[in-house]
Amino acid sequence: MTPVKDGPFYAVTLGVGMACALGGLRIDTHNAVLNDFGYPIPGLYAIGNDAAGVLVGDTYAVTLPGSTAGFAAFSGRNAVQALCQNQ
């Protein structure tokens, strides 16, 4: 370890918390972003918390920290597969 010798030094108190998005972009089953009329916007995909419009309710509880990590991994893979099929 390397000592830190020069100040100034600051400290903060950290507590247990969670991060969860409520709302977000609406997507279809291929993670394509939907416009105001519910149609996919060509070439635009959303994953993870950016697509969090589908995360609240019976999918994930907002009281479980880190519970969106599984959706982030799945939605990224799902969007890439859709992109590859559309090429």
Side-chain angles (χ1 to χ4, degrees):
M1 295 184 58
T2 304
V4 179
K5 297 179 182 180
D6 298 323
F9 300 103
Y10 302 94
V12 295
T13 302
L14 295 176
V16 176
M18 63 180 237
C20 182
L22 299 175
L25 301 169
R26 292 182 307 147
I27 58 169
D28 65 9
T29 57
H30 302 289
N31 286 84
V33 176
L34 303 177
N35 65 18
D36 290 338
F37 301 103
Y39 295 104
I41 300 171
L44 184 60
Y45 294 82
I47 63 171
N49 282 342
D50 289 333
V54 299
L55 292 180
V56 179
D58 60 355
T59 307
Y60 290 104
V62 297
T63 58
L64 299 173
S67 65
T68 59
F71 179 73
F74 165 77
S75 61
R77 181 178 184 272
N78 194 43
V80 169
Q81 283 182 327
L83 280 165
C84 291
Q85 291 173 357
N86 291 332
Q87 295 297 321

